[in-house]
């Protein structure tokens, strides 16, 4: 123990300094994102994958590198006689802190605080802990600095409102007229020359004057069924779509919108768009509504963005189209749009159109593609027509954009034949647990930029192979556990999206439970009785008993990965049978926790086998864990799940853990044989 007048030990001095950095760096990162985007990139231009990757790396590296250094230094400040126990204690403390932060974010902070006010909470906590450390080890006067910085942080957030100031700077020259934080994202509404622009989570959502988009999706669909009375609209409450629908003879429009902040902004800024008595607004997840409703509709319009994420891909899968058909009247029509068509269908766009068309044909007998601003998809078991202009003239619906001259220009025989030919190509079906359309859309989007994906993937793949071949058996087990935990968590989150819906608030809950499982697993693994040390002359470190335990956990992780898709199939049947969504969410959370417990048990076991000085030991095993988690998340999220499906993703994770278990088993057998020869 250090006295009050004793100098700080070097690792502890660095820990206190890094705690100041960790407290303030997130503020700098958010400010850099908001204030630097239009400085570094052309305003309004699309940012490519390479620019996104490098800018994200530069923004995140200062915090992430310091956090990694912090973990290693904290492990160094332990008893040299038992480095493994010290590294395990740091790992456990890190997990418990993540649980506390995740729970606080999910159940409290995200409901009431904006982004910068939310960041003030962990900042003040870190500064208070730094003050406590300095007061105990150096003296009371040194604690004044972190306490003063904590007070300054609180004062700036309360009186200066940095979120409003930085949002206004980010959106200039437009004027910010509304901003809100909801359980599903951050919504900002700007005004420019009388047009309102809705931006959610940094992405343009809709504009109040997008007449052409609203007219196209509505009149392409309702021209197929002029006598339609009941219509289902998924999203698009404020896009102007409802106004175009009400020009027809519909008597009931059910509009399903997920984010309450969008509805609140609409009631304040565009009240006329939701005021008609024929319109019923339902604030819930669109897919959950379709699964639960007993109503029937003549036409269903999916006014969703393109499937650029796994969350949005849920509205373009074979399972969802089957659910839509259940709520349609016989001969009812479903409509949605994809792609941007300008008289040329590139090979990548053709793959997108073909996959969507083949998936839609699994449910509906008739599928029609109409090329306009987007390629509009129509599906029905009844007849479909391309004579949109004639139908609109018969019904007398007034339009500003969808005039006969425009329709005659875009619905020509050659344009119709081009998109039909593209859609008739062989293509994979888009399914809930094989979201290939998500991958194809991203691939089509990447054609706008000059990105050497193949070269980058090859270099990273070779580096990963070289790294794993140099790992010891315990470190390989930790790597494979991190890979399995991360990749299978991607599968779990995908399952939550499919079964439950939105993943903004639920994401925090699942991650919190996963970190709680890691903490529980680390605690259990650290409390297991140690086996006898290896015999003198035996290869490796630790005991054969510890190696067998670690191999057993690796095999259990492999089994967990193999059983995960089966569990989701059961949950899917429960959901179809009418089970409450919270039952599915609780079951999925339990699966994530069990998976995390197994992953968490590996770290203390590996520490006991590996041995060594505190710093190098912690660095090796923390690095193996994080590199495995990074590889698992990237491969599962970007390649394995969307391209090859969940079954392949879980097979890769299971196979890697089986390999790690076999290596440990072989090393244990080799160590036993060496011991026998020595005796």
């Amino acid at each position: 123990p250090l006295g009050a007048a004793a100098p700080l030990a070097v690792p502890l001095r660095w820990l206190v300094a890094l705690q100041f950095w960790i407290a303030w760096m997130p503020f700098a990162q958010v400010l850099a994102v908001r204030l630097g985007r239009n400085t570094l990139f052309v305003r309004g231009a699309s940012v490519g994958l390479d620019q996104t990757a490098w800018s994200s790396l530069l923004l995140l590296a200062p915090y992430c590198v310091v956090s990694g250094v912090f973990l290693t230094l904290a492990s160094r400040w332990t008893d040299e006689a038992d480095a493994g126990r010290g590294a395990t204690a740091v790992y456990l403390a890190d997990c418990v802190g993540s649980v506390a932060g995740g729970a606080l974010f999910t159940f409290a902070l995200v409901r009431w605080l904006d982004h910068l006010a939310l960041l003030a909470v962990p900042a003040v906590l870190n500064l208070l802990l730094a003050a406590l450390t300095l007061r105990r080890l150096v003296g009371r006067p040194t604690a004044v600095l972190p306490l003063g910085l904590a007070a300054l942080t609180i004062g700036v957030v309360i009186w200066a409102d940095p979120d409003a100031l930085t949002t206004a700077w980010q959106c200039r020259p437009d004027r910010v007229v509304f901003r809100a934080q909801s359980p599903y994202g951050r919504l900002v509404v700007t005004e420019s020359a009388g047009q309102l622009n809705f931006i959610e989570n940094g992405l343009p959502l809709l504009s109040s004057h997008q007449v052409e988009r609203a007219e196209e999706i509505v009149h392409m669909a309702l021209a197929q069924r002029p006598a339609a009375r009941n219509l289902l609209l998924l999203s698009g409450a404020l896009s102007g779509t409802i106004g175009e629908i009400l020009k027809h003879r519909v008597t009931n429009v059910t509009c399903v919108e997920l984010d309450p902040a969008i509805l609140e902004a609409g009631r304040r800024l565009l009240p006329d768009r939701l005021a008609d008595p024929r319109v019923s607004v339902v604030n819930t997840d669109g897919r959950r509504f379709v699964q639960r409703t007993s109503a029937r509709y003549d036409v269903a319009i999916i006014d969703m963005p393109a499937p650029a994420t796994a969350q949005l891909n849920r509205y373009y899968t074979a399972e969802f189209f089957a659910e839509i058909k259940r709520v349609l009247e016989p001969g009812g029509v479903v409509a949605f749009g994809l792609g941007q068509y300008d008289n040329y269908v590139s090979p990548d766009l053709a793959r997108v159109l073909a996959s969507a068309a083949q998936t839609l044909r699994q449910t509906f007998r008739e599928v029609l593609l109409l090329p306009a601003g987007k390629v509009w998809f129509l599906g029905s078991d009844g007849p479909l027509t391309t004579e949109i202009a004639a139908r609109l003239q018969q019904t007398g619906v007034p339009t500003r954009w969808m005039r006969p001259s425009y329709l005659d220009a875009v619905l020509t025989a050659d344009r119709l034949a081009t998109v039909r030919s593209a859609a008739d190509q062989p293509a994979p079906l888009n399914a809930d647990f094989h979201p290939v359309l998500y991958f194809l859309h991203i691939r089509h989007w990447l054609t706008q930029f000059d990105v050497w994906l193949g070269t980058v993937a090859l270099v990273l793949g070779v580096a990963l192979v070289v790294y794993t071949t140099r790992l010891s058996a315990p470190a390989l087990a930790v790597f494979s556990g991190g890979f399995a935990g991360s990749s299978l968590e991607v599968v779990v989150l995908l399952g939550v999206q499919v079964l439950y819906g939105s993943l903004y608030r639920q994401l925090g809950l699942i991650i919190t439970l996963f970190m709680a499982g890691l903490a529980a697993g680390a605690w259990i693994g650290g409390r297991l009785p140690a086996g006898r040390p290896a015999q003198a002359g035996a290869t490796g470190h630790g005991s054969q008993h510890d190696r067998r335990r670690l191999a057993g956990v690796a095999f259990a992780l492999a089994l967990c990965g193999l059983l995960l898709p089966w569990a989701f199939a059961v949950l899917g049947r429960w959901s179809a049978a009418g089970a409450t969504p919270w039952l599915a969410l609780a079951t999925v959370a339990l699966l994530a926790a069990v998976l995390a417990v197994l992953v968490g048990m590996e770290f203390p076991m590996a520490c006991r086998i590996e041995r060594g000085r505190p710093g190098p030991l912690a660095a090796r095993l923390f690095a193996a864990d994080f590199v495995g988690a990074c590889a698992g998340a990237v491969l599962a999220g970007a390649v394995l799940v969307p391209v090859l499906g969940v079954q392949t993703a879980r097979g890769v994770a299971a196979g890697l853990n089986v390999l790690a278990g076999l290596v440990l088993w072989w090393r244990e057998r080799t160590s036993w044989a060496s011991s026998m020869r020595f005796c």
Side-chain angles (χ1 to χ4, degrees), residues 219-303:
H219 301 314
M220 293 283 192
L222 284 173
Q224 309 298 326
R225 301 293 181 267
R229 293 294 179 266
N230 296 314
L231 189 139
L232 174 63
L233 175 63
L234 299 181
S235 191
L238 305 180
S239 64
T241 306
I242 292 178
E244 297 301 321
I245 292 172
L246 296 178
K247 292 179 180 179
H248 293 259
R249 291 180 290 177
V250 297
T251 57
N252 174 61
V253 179
T254 301
C255 177
V256 184
E257 190 68 62
L258 174 65
D259 196 340
I262 293 177
L263 298 177
E264 180 185 354
R267 294 187 180 99
R268 290 189 190 182
L269 305 173
L270 298 169
D272 56 311
R273 297 199 172 183
L274 302 174
D276 195 285
R278 291 172 289 177
V279 179
S280 302
V281 179
V282 182
N283 183 204
T284 188
D285 178 72
R287 185 156 179 182
R288 295 299 302 175
F289 177 84
V290 171
Q291 291 171 342
R292 299 301 179 203
T293 186
S294 59
R296 293 294 180 269
Y297 301 94
D298 301 303
V299 175
I301 295 177
I302 305 171
D303 193 9

Side-chain angles (χ1 to χ4, degrees), residues 14 52 115 171 194 321 354 386 389 632 645 659 672:
W14 278 104
T52 302
H115 287 177
C171 297
F321 291 148
T386 61
L659 175 62
W672 177 82

